[in-house]
Amino acid sequence: MRVFDGKLLIGGNWVSSISGLCEEVKSPYNGEVVGIAAVANVEDIDMAISAAEEGFAIWRRTPAHQRAAIMMKAAALADERIEEIAQIISSENGKSLLEARGEAGRCGEIIRLGAFEGSQLYGDSLPLDANKGTGQEKIGFTLRQPVGVVVAISPFNYPALLVMHKLSPALSSGNSVVLKPAQSTPLTALALAQCFVDAGLPAGVLNVVTGSGTQLGDALVRDSRVRKISFTGSTAVGTRITQLAGVKKLSLELGASSPVIVMDDADLELAARAVSIGGYINAGQVCISVQRVIVHEKIKRDFLDALKPLVEKINVGDPKADGTEVGTLINERETNRVVASIRNAVDQGAVLITGGEKNGNIITPAIVSEVDPSSNIAQEELFGPAVVVSTTDSLKQALHIANSTPYGLGSGIFTREVNSAIQAAREIDSGVVHVNWTPLWRADLMPYGGFKASGIGKEGVRSAIEEMTEVKTVILHGQSWQ
Ligand code: NAP
């Protein structure tokens, strides 16, 4: 039994939920019970927010170098525990151990980035005497300070990475946090919280509540003691949060249907290799997964001929088995939804080139061609291991198709023509545009966030710290001297 099994982290202690209820966390691969999580209710939420207020009172007055020292210890512990955390990720999420180890391996580095950026909260000095009528008797400057209690709500698909992209910037810049991880993947978040507890984070600075987002979400986002909500998840839930939150800061990292344009002058071998990775990692359950390929009609046949064998080579299966590259989807409901979406597209005239077979919660990597860009499988977020292909006869039309969904998170273009690359970089409405790679690439330090229905605000440690801090203007009013 781990210290956090069946517990919430509130006020520095691992405690049972007020109701005493717990639930089993099960493997999406074989249904085995892999841990136990406490089921919080709104009273637990109230206690967690109170504890976070008390934690904030201490943490905001803790010098940045002391905060950074604790963050560095937490980072070292996250590094030491990579294998333990990877095993938990793979068990509860169903992704391959190969992918889980990569994800767990980034946590320490994200905390170190936070430790640095959180010690760089510079302000500006203000040239007040440039204001007509003001002399040199006044001095003005800005201070950057933490917002206060941050509610962090995270999804199932990257249970470590996306938790870290909230905890690291929030804690390093002096905020306290109430974290609500996805109900299907709570154990990874608890194991990561343990690193901060063991590193000596003061009581109440980090609180973790587990349970159902539907049950707990409203209480978390409505509470006026909360000054910032950092949410990653679906556009539907993000929209609800905007309606309930009231006056507080919001960062919303939401859904997508990411496009990749392959022009007739592209390096086809490179484009095929990149799509065979970017469409299928984590069984396509990535917000920046390649969903739509818009390929120039002149090279469509060659592109598909290059892509198909690469996709068929992807080793899917038991997440914990040696050699497995891609594991399961998160649960049966999601697996059935993705399979049905592929079937519907085929019923409407699309052509299934490969894959799309269901085996438990595994779906074999699929390519669906001849897809109408206005059809559901292109317009709605698929969040599964399939890439849908449609054609274009010009860059102008390709850009139009790329921008034709409600979303705008990541995008890519393959071309050797610099003008096409520049035009795409300027014209695609997405938060990140990749030239000669797909959207499925992220450095943890870069600004990262969506346009349109893909969200509000930016993550990436430095950007997230900007969004989790306030700028205060201070004016010292002196008297004029002779
Ligand atoms: P989700 O269903 O929206 O859930 C995300 C989180 O919100 C979970 O912790 C969930 O709790 C909680 N939640 C559910 N209902 C809530 C409510 N009414 N109020 C507040 N919180 C609530 O998303 P998901 O299925 O876990 O994740 C997949 C989605 O996340 C996809 O749309 C994907 O594109 C998006 N995503 C976006 C990014 C990005 O950076 N833009 C990154 C990763 C994922 P429960 O688990 O208990 O329901």
Side-chain angles (χ1 to χ4, degrees):
M1 189 84 167
R2 296 163 290 216
V3 62
F4 52 77
D5 271 308
K7 302 286 189 213
L8 309 172
L9 177 62
I10 297 184
N13 298 310
W14 292 107
V15 296
S16 301
S17 64
I18 289 171
S19 68
L21 285 177
C22 284
E23 62 191 351
E24 292 174 338
V25 181
K26 291 187 179 162
S27 154
Y29 175 64
N30 56 17
E32 238 174 57
V33 176
V34 296
I36 295 167
V39 179
N41 63 23
V42 290
E43 288 174 80
D44 296 297
I45 297 297
D46 183 51
M47 282 178 55
I49 295 175
S50 296
E53 278 197 304
E54 286 170 28
F56 179 59
I58 298 166
W59 198 231
R60 68 180 298 188
R61 296 183 177 89
T62 303
H65 70 270
Q66 286 179 18
R67 294 200 307 262
I70 291 174
M71 299 295 288
M72 293 300 278
K73 269 193 207 155
L77 290 170
D79 284 349
E80 269 173 32
R81 298 174 190 176
I82 287 175
E83 184 58 25
E84 180 196 333
I85 294 166
Q87 291 286 347
I88 296 175
I89 296 173
S90 177
S91 297
E92 66 179 356
N93 170 283
K95 70 176 68 178
S96 68
L97 254 184
L98 184 77
E99 292 183 331
R101 286 185 177 125
E103 183 178 350
R106 281 163 73 176
C107 293
E109 209 48 34
I110 298 172
I111 305 173
R112 275 185 286 276
L113 261 177
F116 173 71
E117 296 291 352
S119 66
Q120 303 294 303
L121 303 185
Y122 287 98
D124 290 321
S125 72
L126 306 174
L128 292 179
D129 58 337
N131 179 61
K132 203 169 175 188
T134 305
Q136 294 207 328
E137 74 284 1
K138 296 183 198 297
I139 289 182
F141 55 91
T142 61
L143 291 175
R144 193 167 266 286
Q145 61 182 54
V147 289
V149 176
V150 173
V151 157
I153 303 178
S154 54
F156 72 83
N157 62 330
Y158 281 90
L161 194 71
L162 299 176
V163 161
M164 265 314 133
H165 268 290
K166 301 187 183 313
L167 297 191
S168 168
L171 298 175
S172 64
S173 58
N175 300 286
S176 62
V177 175
V178 177
L179 168 68
K180 208 304 276 176
Q183 192 171 21
S184 48
T185 57
L187 304 173
T188 307
L190 295 167
L192 290 169
Q194 181 71 45
C195 297
F196 288 99
V197 172
D198 293 347
L201 195 71
V205 177
L206 173 59
N207 307 275
V208 188
V209 287
T210 53
S212 149
T214 318
Q215 304 285 318
L216 306 175
D218 291 4
L220 279 167
V221 305
R222 274 199 170 119
D223 197 299
S224 59
R225 293 170 293 176
V226 173
R227 297 310 313 137
K228 160 93 195 174
I229 298 166
S230 174
F231 172 79
T232 302
S234 61
T235 297
V237 174
T239 306
R240 181 177 172 81
I241 290 173
T242 62
Q243 289 156 356
L244 297 182
V247 182
K248 46 179 75 94
K249 281 168 133 342
L250 287 184
S251 296
L252 304 172
E253 301 286 337
L254 308 177
S257 169
S258 298
V260 167
I261 297 171
V262 184
M263 293 304 293
D264 52 351
D265 57 18
D267 177 338
L268 279 194
E269 189 271 327
L270 174 71
R273 185 159 52 83
V275 169
S276 76
I277 300 167
Y280 304 96
I281 279 186
N282 208 22
Q285 301 167 113
V286 192
C287 50
I288 45 175
S289 196
V290 180
Q291 179 165 332
R292 296 175 293 141
V293 175
I294 304 152
V295 61
H296 198 286
E297 59 195 14
K298 280 194 203 152
I299 46 123
K300 178 189 140 199
R301 194 66 273 144
D302 292 344
F303 172 73
L304 287 176
D305 287 348
L307 180 63
K308 184 168 176 263
L310 297 175
V311 170
E312 288 176 342
K313 232 172 51 190
I314 298 170
N315 200 347
V316 292
D318 178 351
K320 299 264 176 118
D322 281 349
T324 298
E325 293 167 302
V326 172
T328 69
L329 280 83
I330 191 67
N331 57 37
E332 198 180 353
R333 185 168 44 86
E334 280 296 286
T335 309
N336 289 340
R337 182 188 59 76
V338 172
V339 168
S341 191
I342 295 172
R343 282 204 189 120
N344 286 343
V346 171
D347 288 347
Q348 287 166 21
V351 176
L352 183 60
I353 305 255
T354 188
E357 288 138 33
K358 174 174 168 330
N359 175 10
N361 288 332
I362 292 168
I363 300 177
T364 53
I367 305 172
V368 187
S369 186
E370 318 299 320
V371 167
D372 175 351
S374 66
S375 63
N376 289 352
I377 199 166
Q379 290 290 318
E380 293 170 3
E381 180 172 44
L382 183 65
F383 226 56
V387 158
V388 306
V389 181
S390 48
T391 52
T392 182
D393 58 10
S394 67
L395 178 60
K396 190 172 174 206
Q397 188 194 29
L399 294 172
H400 174 75
I401 296 172
N403 286 335
S404 69
T405 75
Y407 300 108
L409 184 59
S411 60
I413 179 167
F414 286 84
T415 179
R416 289 190 173 97
E417 173 56 61
V418 73
N419 284 333
S420 304
I422 292 171
Q423 195 178 340
R426 296 259 186 217
E427 298 280 327
I428 298 183
D429 294 329
S430 64
V432 185
V433 178
H434 293 266
V435 175
N436 289 330
W437 201 251
T438 76
L440 204 138
W441 191 93
R442 178 179 188 180
D444 294 310
L445 55 75
M446 74 189 207
Y448 178 94
F451 293 1
K452 304 195 290 183
S454 290
I456 300 172
K458 292 279 180 273
E459 285 200 341
V461 179
R462 181 181 291 188
S463 308
I465 284 180
E466 274 181 24
E467 306 221 354
M468 291 174 171
T469 50
E470 307 261 25
V471 172
K472 180 185 279 175
T473 302
V474 180
I475 311 289
L476 303 184
H477 295 263
Q479 304 299 319
S480 13
W481 59 89
Q482 295 304 316

